[in-house]
Amino acid sequence: MQDSIESAIDIILKSKFAIVFTGAGISVESGIPPFRGEKGLWNKYDPDALDLNNFHLNPFDAWKVIKEIFYDFFQDSKPNDAHLVIAELEQLGIIKAVITQNIDNLHYEAGSKVVYEFHGNSRKLVCPYCGKKVLAAEIDLSNVPLCESCHAVLKPDFIFFGEGIPEDAYRNSVNVSQNADLVIIIGSTGEVVPAASMPQLAKQYGAKIIEVNPEKTLFTDSITDIYLKGKAAEIMNKLLIGIKQKI
Ligand code: APR
């Protein structure tokens, strides 16, 4: 493992345009369960709660589950060391952008500036009809939230199954993936597309791939060059210490 850490540090220091691609696993050490795996949310909740048609047909039932999953438990989650290291590597000019599948806002709260939220962000609610957005923290979610302007049921500002990827996030993610010479993948199974196609696109354009995950994934034996087996916070701290010793 130490050899791999050293090799990863060398590749990171040689990179000219490194980006990070994160999945739910980077937020596990912030207390937010992943979607898949042993303690995955989809083992406890039906993903249909996040189906767009189901939401429009049964908004009151859907909101009960959405509130429990995304607001009751996670509202107070804080960035962990992995998020903080990524923000520090951006300040050092090493990381140019983060593409995240996560909707928990923790990269921004850790201080990252260039973050492309491929699946949106749970901190805001949006009216599906007039597009008005409000901060979820300012809304009493004990009742189903309604738009002040048109009284439609508000929806979290993240994408549901059956919904398209936010255009800006998609366009920017493709752009940085095509320009990256290094992608650090942290905490993603690689099972969710089109998000998982971003590291694959970068690989096609010649990028090196470093992967941080306690388990192997769909990326590991296909596009990963250096697989760092371990938890995000522990590995990212080791990388930062090594990088700082050499810059
Ligand atoms: N550090 C790093 N990785 C971890 C950790 C940890 N402490 N704990 C778990 N993991 C890894 C798991 O091994 C797994 O590979 O994080 C991944 C979590 O899997 P998923 O929850 O499926 O995450 P991801 O692949 O990002 O898919 C999430 O699925 O339902 C959709 O849109 C939803 O964005 C969401 C996407």
Side-chain angles (χ1 to χ4, degrees):
M1 167 59 90
Q2 193 47 36
D3 292 351
S4 303
I5 291 273
E6 291 302 324
S7 312
I9 289 166
D10 288 345
I11 290 177
I12 292 168
L13 288 171
K14 285 188 187 116
S15 71
K16 297 280 179 286
F17 196 100
I19 65 173
V20 171
F21 176 84
T22 63
I26 195 173
S27 297
V28 166
E29 290 158 272
S30 294
I32 298 179
F35 288 91
R36 295 169 189 80
E38 196 185 327
K39 297 188 182 120
L41 287 166
W42 296 145
N43 298 340
K44 184 177 174 191
Y45 295 98
D46 180 353
D48 273 355
L50 294 187
D51 174 89
L52 192 61
N53 290 325
N54 178 54
F55 176 80
H56 288 309
L57 291 173
N58 307 293
F60 293 80
D61 295 344
W63 254 108
K64 277 195 201 93
V65 178
I66 290 164
K67 176 176 178 296
E68 190 173 318
I69 301 179
F70 296 104
Y71 297 99
D72 291 350
F73 301 154
F74 309 149
Q75 195 75 307
D76 302 328
S77 298
K78 295 284 174 260
N80 64 60
D81 281 358
H83 298 100
L84 297 170
V85 166
I86 292 166
E88 188 166 349
L89 290 176
E90 182 186 52
Q91 286 161 2
L92 290 171
I94 293 172
I95 295 297
K96 308 298 182 193
V98 177
I99 301 171
T100 187
Q101 298 173 91
N102 302 338
I103 58 174
D104 54 32
N105 203 55
L106 294 183
H107 283 297
Y108 279 124
E109 290 176 32
S112 286
K113 301 282 184 280
V114 183
V115 181
Y116 301 130
E117 296 177 309
F118 216 77
H119 294 154
N121 185 314
S122 62
R123 292 300 188 258
K124 286 189 180 158
L125 306 182
V126 61
C127 174
Y129 300 100
C130 72
K132 185 180 168 70
K133 292 192 181 186
V134 294
L135 284 174
E138 293 172 2
I139 302 289
D140 170 12
L141 292 176
S142 53
N143 303 303
V144 172
L146 301 178
C147 173
E148 276 178 359
S149 310
C150 52
H151 305 293
V153 174
L154 293 175
K155 172 182 165 299
D157 194 21
F158 55 76
I159 64 164
F160 282 28
F161 294 114
E163 201 168 0
I165 303 298
E167 271 181 45
D168 281 353
Y170 188 81
R171 186 173 56 249
N172 288 318
S173 298
V174 167
N175 179 44
V176 296
S177 298
Q178 290 174 333
N179 287 287
D181 58 2
L182 172 61
V183 182
I184 304 173
I185 301 173
I186 307 172
S188 177
T189 54
E191 289 182 23
V192 179
V193 288
S197 53
M198 294 300 110
Q200 289 156 5
L201 179 65
K203 183 76 177 186
Q204 285 164 20
Y205 274 73
K208 290 273 188 209
I209 308 291
I210 293 170
E211 186 180 7
V212 179
N213 198 314
E215 309 291 334
K216 285 198 166 187
T217 71
L218 292 181
F219 295 121
T220 317
D221 295 330
S222 57
I223 62 170
T224 296
D225 295 299
I226 295 182
Y227 169 51
L228 303 175
K229 183 175 178 60
K231 293 184 175 180
E234 173 202 358
I235 299 282
M236 294 312 289
N237 274 323
K238 282 182 182 168
L239 291 175
L240 182 65
I241 290 164
I243 288 166
K244 282 180 151 180
Q245 283 168 351
K246 294 188 175 184
I247 55 177

